[in-house]
Amino acid sequence: MNKFLVTAVSAVALSGIGAASGAWAQASSNNPNDMVKTAVETVVKAAKADAAARDGDVAATARVVGRDFLPYTDFHRTTRYAVGSKAFDAATPAQQQQVFEQFQQLLVNTFALQLSQVRGTQIAFKFTPAKLTANSSDVVVGASVNSNGDNLSVAYRLAKTDKGWKIYDINMMGENVANAWLIQLYQPQFKARIAQGGIDGLIAYLREKNARFGK
């Protein structure tokens, strides 16, 4: 199974949040282990239940991903970390919002494309709970993914927010591989674009990549 396929089952999007997903998110927000399990299983089940998504329609899959995974995430945090706190804070509020929207859209397009490829396959998850203490505010929940006999590891990093635990980073190779976190993968790309054209250059770069999905 493609390693990016793993992140597809933990995607984000800009589309609307369904009431059912919101209820699930609220119910599990106080425990990061429950949060990850519910988020992953919900979005995979929803994608398989949607006729268009099940047939491989990427746009339909993106809508499912946004509705059924977004409530579990804090991708404002992800965007700020990927861009870099100094560069992000120096941007205007309008620029910050554009970067966030475009980055989030890029993620959902990529994840939806990969998730659309798993239609009809049997996927089983085994979760490794985070080690929690009374003062825990940042934890990692691991998962083992089995698809047609192919086993892969993935990890989810969560932060404790005023709205409960939220996923803000994903490691496509598992928690034991230090340099495969999503934020780390995007940081050098974003840094290079900002060096070349400032924050507006980064926005243009993200827009260009998103536009390719519409062709």
Side-chain angles (χ1 to χ4, degrees):
M1 183 169 62
N2 188 302
K3 66 179 181 180
F4 288 101
L5 196 59
V6 180
T7 54
V9 300
S10 43
V12 297
L14 291 172
S15 51
I17 300 173
S21 295
W24 276 107
Q26 185 175 5
S28 61
S29 64
N30 292 327
N31 187 297
N33 302 309
D34 293 342
M35 171 70 78
V36 170
K37 186 175 186 295
T38 300
V40 173
E41 293 181 346
T42 296
V43 73
V44 172
K45 181 179 180 180
K48 289 187 175 184
D50 185 283
R54 191 170 60 246
D55 288 341
D57 187 312
V58 178
T61 306
R63 289 192 292 271
V64 170
V65 163
R67 183 191 67 216
D68 293 299
F69 193 80
L70 185 57
Y72 305 95
T73 67
D74 179 5
F75 271 76
H76 282 280
R77 182 189 300 262
T78 310
T79 302
R80 187 169 184 269
Y81 288 175
V83 173
S85 300
K86 184 177 180 180
F88 189 80
D89 292 345
T92 67
Q95 288 173 324
Q96 291 176 355
Q97 183 64 20
Q98 289 180 69
V99 171
F100 166 68
E101 290 177 354
Q102 292 299 323
F103 184 33
Q104 192 168 236
Q105 187 65 63
L106 176 61
L107 291 173
V108 68
N109 286 337
T110 303
F111 298 156
L113 178 63
Q114 297 298 332
L115 182 57
S116 69
Q117 298 177 15
V118 301
R119 58 187 185 279
T121 63
Q122 295 297 316
I123 301 178
F125 298 96
K126 181 178 180 180
F127 296 92
T128 304
K131 298 178 180 179
L132 295 170
T133 67
N135 297 319
S136 293
S137 60
D138 194 295
V139 299
V140 172
V141 177
S144 175
V145 186
N146 183 285
S147 177
N148 298 328
D150 187 8
N151 288 289
L152 291 177
S153 296
V154 62
Y156 305 86
R157 186 176 296 280
L158 300 91
K160 192 172 187 179
T161 74
D162 56 0
K163 296 181 180 179
W165 289 94
K166 298 291 182 180
I167 298 168
Y168 75 92
D169 205 0
I170 302 165
N171 190 320
M172 297 177 289
M173 303 298 291
E175 60 184 304
N176 293 325
V177 180
N179 61 352
W181 289 97
L182 186 65
I183 290 173
Q184 291 176 305
L185 296 177
Y186 277 103
Q187 280 176 334
Q189 299 179 45
F190 288 3
K191 182 178 180 180
R193 292 295 168 172
I194 293 172
Q196 292 174 9
I199 200 73
D200 286 332
L202 174 60
I203 294 170
Y205 168 71
L206 292 170
R207 282 177 174 164
E208 179 183 354
K209 292 184 73 68
N210 282 321
R212 296 176 186 173
F213 285 88
K215 296 180 180 180

